[in-house]
């Protein structure tokens, strides 16, 4: 007869302790494995995953029969991700191998470990966005690196222009950054410059703003010339030496304008500086009898040159039949002009000094 032996409570407790110890050991092993993997990633970053791709995905040009490695598509299916993601790691490793940072694909086999570069270096080879693989993406990446930012940020913005537009419309800081970027790009992008000019020309408010800013700039240049060159242009176009008082006043106004912040409107300051300087220039001319005469002479010559140019263009050469354009008012205005010109000639002849030879000829 067989007698069943019932285990004692002590034996059961011993068995439970052993099972608990084994479970604890298994957990410890799993934790240690996770810690090792985490340490590898902390030290090497994306290189750890790049290595897994490099040693498992066969390089281009090799057939399945030449190597135990699999294609990027097969690897992606096993990993449960897209082939594009696998290829981004693949291409990052390929670039690093060309630079001598890591071994080439042909030198690696499945499961093989190699020394990996530091984690920070990975970002200079890898991009998380497929758009970076295009020519446009490469240009954006280079520009981002030149600005000292991560290329992924710039690529994300470039892929979502609607988001960029929303940020520009909603945030003055983003709009200002966009404005500066456009200005920096204008020199190397004639097409953009042309389109921008056309947009301004088609918008009445912008045309007025450009005209006002241009006028303010001309006024500031007028004041600046007095400070920097010590000369000033009169109403008649003469260049004269600026008196000390005029230079001091011009310098005072110019310093106020130069101290304005970039966002401050300079138009009113420019107008005040210009008007003040012009008043002082007029006072300078009026206080000097000789200069006053020169100014009047210059004004007369300027008007005479303008009138001469107008009358030289006033012909009937392109008129087939003068009767078609005749108006009584035309003749009246020309007769009035003729009288005015005659009066000027008479006044000038009266003031003209008589030369001896001219006087003798007249008496003869």
């Amino acid at each position: 007869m067989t007698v069943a032996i019932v285990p004692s409570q002590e034996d059961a407790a011993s068995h439970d302790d052993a099972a608990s110890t084994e479970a604890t050991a298994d957990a410890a092993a799993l934790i240690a494995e996770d810690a090792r993997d985490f340490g590898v990633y902390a030290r090497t970053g994306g290189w750890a995953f790049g290595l897994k791709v490099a040693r498992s995905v066969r390089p281009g040009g090799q057939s399945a029969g030449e190597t135990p490695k699999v294609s990027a598509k097969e690897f992606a299916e096993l990993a449960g991700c897209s082939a594009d993601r696998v290829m981004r790691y693949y291409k990052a490793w390929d670039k690093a191998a060309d630079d001598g940072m890591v071994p080439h694909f042909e030198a690696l086999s499945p499961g093989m470990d190699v020394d990996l570069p530091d984690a920070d270096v990975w970002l200079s080879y890898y991009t998380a966005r497929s758009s970076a693989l295009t020519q446009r993406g490469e240009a954006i990446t280079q520009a981002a690196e030149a600005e000292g930012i991560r290329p992924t940020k710039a690529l994300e913005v470039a892929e979502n222009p609607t988001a960029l537009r929303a940020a520009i419309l909603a945030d003055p800081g983003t709009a200002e950054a966009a404005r500066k970027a456009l200005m920096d790009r204008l020199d190397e992008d004639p097409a953009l410059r042309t389109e921008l000019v056309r947009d301004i020309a088609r918008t009445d408010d912008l045309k007025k703003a450009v005209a006002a800013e241009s006028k303010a700039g001309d006024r500031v240049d007028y004041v600046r010339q007095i400070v920097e060159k010590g000369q000033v242009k009169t109403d008649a176009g003469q260049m004269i030496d600026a008196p000390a008082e005029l230079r001091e006043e011009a310098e005072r106004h110019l310093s106020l304008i130069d101290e304005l912040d970039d966002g401050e409107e300079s138009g009113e300051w420019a107008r005040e500086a210009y008007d003040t300087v012009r008043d002082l220039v007029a006072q300078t001319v009026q206080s000097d009898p000789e200069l006053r005469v020169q100014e009047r002479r210059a004004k007369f010559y300027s008007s005479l040159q303008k009138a001469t140019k107008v009358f030289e263009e006033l012909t009937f050469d392109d008129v087939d039949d003068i009767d078609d354009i005749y108006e009584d008012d035309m003749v009246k205005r020309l007769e009035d002009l003729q009288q005015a010109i005659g009066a000027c000639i008479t006044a000038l002849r009266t003031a003209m000094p008589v030369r001896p030879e001219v006087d003798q000829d007249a008496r003869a």
Side-chain angles (χ1 to χ4, degrees):
M1 182 177 65
T2 303
V3 179
I5 302 174
V6 180
S8 64
Q9 292 182 351
E10 291 160 351
D11 291 339
S14 176
H15 182 272
D16 290 343
D17 289 343
S20 177
T21 301
E22 183 178 354
T24 301
D26 290 343
L30 292 173
I31 292 172
E33 183 178 356
D34 283 346
R36 284 192 298 271
D37 291 344
F38 181 83
V40 170
Y41 184 78
R43 292 189 303 274
T44 63
W47 294 114
F49 298 104
L51 174 61
K52 295 180 185 297
V53 172
R55 69 191 183 189
S56 300
V57 175
R58 62 174 177 264
Q62 282 192 346
S63 63
E66 297 179 56
T67 174
K69 296 182 179 182
V70 299
S71 67
K73 182 179 179 181
E74 292 177 89
F75 188 87
E77 291 174 351
L78 293 171
C81 66
S82 67
D84 285 342
R85 182 181 293 273
V86 173
M87 287 306 299
R88 289 199 289 273
Y89 280 86
Y90 181 96
K91 292 184 178 182
W93 188 277
D94 191 29
K95 291 179 182 178
D98 289 340
D99 291 344
M101 300 293 297
V102 293
H104 285 280
F105 297 104
E106 293 79 4
L108 297 172
S109 58
M112 184 176 179
D113 283 324
V114 297
D115 292 334
L116 298 173
D118 293 337
D120 293 342
V121 183
W122 173 254
L123 294 177
S124 62
Y125 291 100
Y126 175 79
T127 175
R129 314 194 74 84
S130 59
S131 60
L133 304 178
T134 64
Q135 184 175 1
R136 173 174 174 263
E138 290 178 358
I140 294 173
T141 298
Q142 292 175 4
E145 291 173 347
E147 293 291 336
I149 63 173
R150 292 178 61 181
T152 51
K153 294 291 185 182
L155 288 165
E156 183 177 0
V157 172
E159 290 175 5
N160 198 344
T162 303
L164 175 61
R165 171 183 167 81
I168 292 174
L169 291 174
D171 178 45
T174 304
E176 177 63 14
R179 182 191 68 80
K180 290 181 178 179
L182 285 174
M183 293 303 298
D184 291 340
R185 184 177 174 82
L186 289 181
D187 289 340
E188 60 185 33
D189 194 339
L192 175 63
R193 184 169 60 245
T194 300
E195 288 302 319
L196 189 60
V197 170
R198 287 174 179 171
D199 288 340
I200 293 174
R202 294 166 183 163
T203 309
D204 290 339
D205 290 343
L206 288 179
K207 284 195 296 184
K208 293 177 182 178
V210 169
E213 193 64 27
S214 177
K215 187 175 183 180
D218 291 342
R219 287 174 170 178
V220 173
D221 289 341
Y222 182 83
V223 178
R224 193 181 300 278
Q225 180 176 272
I226 299 173
V227 176
E228 295 179 352
K229 297 184 178 180
Q231 291 186 316
V232 63
K233 183 180 288 188
T234 66
D235 288 345
Q238 293 189 93
M239 292 298 298
I240 63 173
D241 292 333
E245 178 186 1
L246 177 57
R247 295 188 64 177
E248 291 175 1
E249 189 67 14
E251 187 171 1
R252 184 179 72 82
H253 280 279
L254 187 62
S255 65
L256 293 174
I257 294 173
D258 290 340
E259 289 174 3
L260 294 175
D261 294 333
D262 291 339
E264 290 189 76
E265 181 64 42
S266 62
E268 186 63 27
W269 295 86
R271 186 194 62 77
E272 181 180 349
Y274 181 77
D275 290 346
T276 301
V277 169
R278 287 293 298 271
D279 288 343
L280 290 175
V281 172
Q283 293 175 20
T284 300
V285 172
Q286 291 300 317
S287 63
D288 187 332
E290 184 178 353
L291 190 58
R292 188 166 64 248
V293 171
Q294 293 175 357
E295 183 75 356
R296 290 176 178 173
R297 183 185 297 117
K299 284 184 178 180
F300 183 84
Y301 264 114
S302 177
S303 299
L304 182 59
Q305 289 173 350
K306 293 177 182 178
T308 301
K309 184 177 181 180
V310 170
F311 274 99
E312 287 175 348
E313 297 174 354
L314 189 62
T315 66
F316 298 109
D317 295 341
D318 57 344
V319 178
D320 295 332
D321 189 350
I322 198 170
D323 292 340
D324 294 338
I325 66 169
Y326 171 81
E327 293 287 346
D328 291 340
D329 185 58
M330 293 180 183
V331 177
K332 179 65 171 61
R333 291 195 178 196
L334 286 172
E335 290 174 344
D336 291 343
L337 286 173
Q338 186 179 34
Q339 291 179 5
I341 293 173
C344 286
I345 294 173
T346 300
L348 288 173
R349 283 179 172 172
T350 302
M352 183 171 54
V354 179
R355 292 176 295 178
E357 60 273 17
V358 174
D359 187 46
Q360 290 175 4
D361 290 341
R363 285 198 300 269

